[in-house]
Amino acid sequence: MRRALHIALWILGGLSVLIVLAGVGIYVLIHSTVVLQQAQTRASKATGRAVTIGSIDVDWSWTPHILLRKVDLANPDWAKEQQMFSADTIEFAIKPWPLLGGHIVLPYLHVDAPKVALEKRADGASNWDFNQNPVAATAVAAVRPEQRSEAPVIGQIEITKGKISYRDAARKLSLDGDIDLAAGEAAGGQQEVKFNAKGTLEDKPLKLDFTGGSIAMLRD
């Protein structure tokens, strides 16, 4: 049970890195001209990885609404999977004024069909570590919260049809699972996180089933 909890924490830790990366991507998008090629170039430079975006739609208002289609973030060369992250669509609203104080406030965030591939080599190197790229390290450091209260504030988050894999060579761990975050009937219409995964740990079968509260509760 304790080992399963540790595994769940490793995975949630990897997901927290992706939230930081989302903050980097949002910062890059807001501070660049809304041109597809420009956004891809700047996002790739900020992460140190190839970033491709199929299309961008922005509804400019006091609270801009942004829709990204076919988003891909490449893995490092040594990783097994070609993409570390991909999604059919990422849609969110962002409040511009808190950005002046370095805070990210998203009234809502909707990610459809994301695929996340987390991988850790036997020497301890992980594909979510961006410190080897000076530009990426600077960008991540700029948005990384020092305290929990400084994490991005998301009013409502919805993840549908999510797929996640986790590989750890040193621990002989391999997991593939599904993740969803939305309002659930069992939770009385409140937001809940569901994560189910199967795989192996040290050549033995492993199964994880996790149901938790909303992102706001996990954040607290």
Side-chain angles (χ1 to χ4, degrees):
M1 180 65 183
R2 181 176 296 177
R3 175 166 286 184
L5 178 60
H6 287 168
I7 293 170
L9 290 175
W10 295 337
I11 294 172
L12 290 175
L15 289 175
S16 69
V17 173
L18 293 179
I19 292 176
V20 171
L21 289 175
V24 174
I26 292 166
Y27 179 88
V28 169
L29 182 62
I30 294 301
H31 287 76
S32 65
T33 58
V34 188
V35 177
L36 181 58
Q37 187 61 45
Q38 187 72 266
Q40 290 182 135
T41 300
R42 296 199 179 191
S44 297
K45 184 177 180 180
T47 60
R49 309 267 185 86
V51 176
T52 59
I53 305 171
S55 65
I56 300 176
D57 292 328
V58 181
D59 180 12
W60 292 106
S61 62
W62 289 109
T63 304
H65 294 246
I66 301 168
L67 173 62
L68 311 178
R69 296 184 182 89
K70 300 297 181 183
V71 180
D72 292 316
L73 170 64
N75 249 325
D77 295 338
W78 55 264
K80 293 182 179 179
E81 299 293 333
Q82 184 176 0
Q83 306 295 339
M84 176 182 172
F85 172 83
S86 64
D88 285 354
T89 61
I90 301 176
E91 185 175 4
F92 59 91
I94 186 166
K95 294 186 176 181
W97 301 116
L99 288 172
L100 299 177
H103 303 292
I104 298 173
V105 179
L106 308 179
Y108 75 86
L109 171 64
H110 178 203
V111 185
D112 183 45
K115 295 181 180 179
V116 182
L118 303 176
E119 186 173 350
K120 196 171 185 180
R121 296 191 310 198
D123 63 3
S126 60
N127 67 338
W128 62 84
D129 184 3
F130 292 81
N131 290 327
Q132 293 182 357
N133 181 282
V135 176
T138 300
V140 171
V143 298
R144 178 187 290 124
E146 296 181 359
Q147 301 178 3
R148 293 180 184 179
S149 60
E150 297 176 351
V153 177
I154 304 175
Q156 182 180 9
I157 182 171
E158 183 177 359
I159 298 174
T160 56
K161 298 180 290 184
K163 298 287 184 181
I164 184 168
S165 65
Y166 185 84
R167 308 282 183 264
D168 189 327
R171 293 181 172 86
K172 296 182 180 180
L173 171 63
S174 176
L175 279 177
D176 292 280
D178 302 311
I179 184 167
D180 288 281
L181 198 163
E185 294 181 3
Q190 300 297 315
Q191 282 195 338
E192 63 179 10
V193 179
K194 289 185 177 181
F195 175 66
N196 304 291
K198 293 181 179 180
T200 58
L201 175 62
E202 296 179 352
D203 300 323
K204 295 181 179 180
L206 177 66
K207 182 179 180 181
L208 293 177
D209 292 298
F210 173 81
T211 300
S214 66
I215 283 293
M217 293 176 61
L218 294 176
R219 178 172 174 265
D220 293 337

